[in-house]
Amino acid sequence: SSQFKLFKWSIFGSYVSASRRIIMSTFNVFDIASSGMNAQNLRLNLVASNISNAHSISSSINEVYKSRQPIFAAELQNSLEKNKEAVGVTMKGVVESEAEPIMEYLPNHPMANPDGYIFKPNINMVEEMANMMSASRAYQNNVEVFNTSKQLITQTLRMGQ
């Protein structure tokens, strides 16, 4: 592709195709790290939504907020070829919790149903905080991979000067 036209006229001669593979795999690091950052950003957004709705109230068991968790999968490049190479993470969907909501008897509450019950989401705040910390650290790790790769490429380019 156009990113590698400079190597056609390089002094490396027969090593041009090997150089292209090394450079392409180096640029794959950026794709993988950025897809990881996007995945953790989506995960953080779902955790924030779960935490912000943890104390919401409903008068119907069918309308109560349910905790949401992302489903991720590795993307495979050249999946029909022998060398399956991971190139990132993709979000396959969001799963809602099947945990029963908390039913509380409060007959004087304005949201109470005719039987006097209100319904609250069954969200475990400790679990959500642990998910938030895990997603935040994974995001930071992907930023470090991105920055380290950038520094290595910059230092490699400086070696040729």
Side-chain angles (χ1 to χ4, degrees):
S1 68
S2 63
Q3 293 178 353
F4 305 106
K5 286 183 181 174
L6 295 174
F7 288 104
K8 288 183 180 177
W9 304 106
S10 71
I11 60 172
F12 299 122
S14 63
Y15 298 108
V16 170
S17 62
S19 298
R20 283 186 184 175
R21 274 181 271 159
I22 290 169
I23 297 218
M24 290 178 83
S25 65
T26 303
F27 286 128
N28 282 348
V29 170
F30 293 119
D31 293 338
I32 293 169
S34 64
S35 75
M37 287 188 286
N38 285 335
Q40 298 310 320
N41 187 29
L42 291 168
R43 188 172 163 207
L44 281 168
N45 284 335
L46 287 174
V47 168
S49 178
N50 291 341
I51 290 172
S52 66
N53 287 294
H55 299 292
S56 62
I57 296 171
S58 178
S59 59
S60 168
I61 197 166
N62 297 327
E63 294 175 4
V64 69
Y65 180 83
K66 295 179 181 172
S67 175
R68 296 179 176 125
Q69 302 298 324
I71 303 293
F72 296 114
E75 293 179 359
L76 296 176
Q77 184 179 29
N78 303 325
S79 59
L80 298 177
E81 296 178 18
K82 291 179 187 176
N83 58 342
K84 293 183 180 180
E85 190 175 308
V87 293
V89 178
T90 184
M91 187 167 134
K92 291 293 184 183
V94 176
V95 177
E96 286 188 342
S97 172
E98 294 180 7
E100 288 293 318
I102 299 168
M103 197 164 102
E104 190 174 331
Y105 183 71
L106 287 173
N108 295 330
H109 194 281
M111 293 287 293
N113 67 7
D115 297 330
Y117 288 98
I118 59 168
F119 299 92
K120 297 179 181 178
N122 192 358
I123 295 176
N124 184 339
M125 291 298 281
V126 174
E127 185 179 310
E128 293 301 325
M129 293 301 286
N131 281 339
M132 182 179 66
M133 289 170 47
S134 173
S136 177
R137 287 184 180 145
Y139 186 92
Q140 291 169 351
N141 289 337
N142 281 300
V143 169
E144 282 301 313
V145 167
F146 197 92
N147 288 335
T148 301
S149 297
K150 186 174 83 172
Q151 288 173 353
L152 289 172
I153 288 173
T154 303
Q155 290 172 359
T156 302
L157 291 173
R158 286 186 186 147
M159 286 184 351
Q161 291 180 347

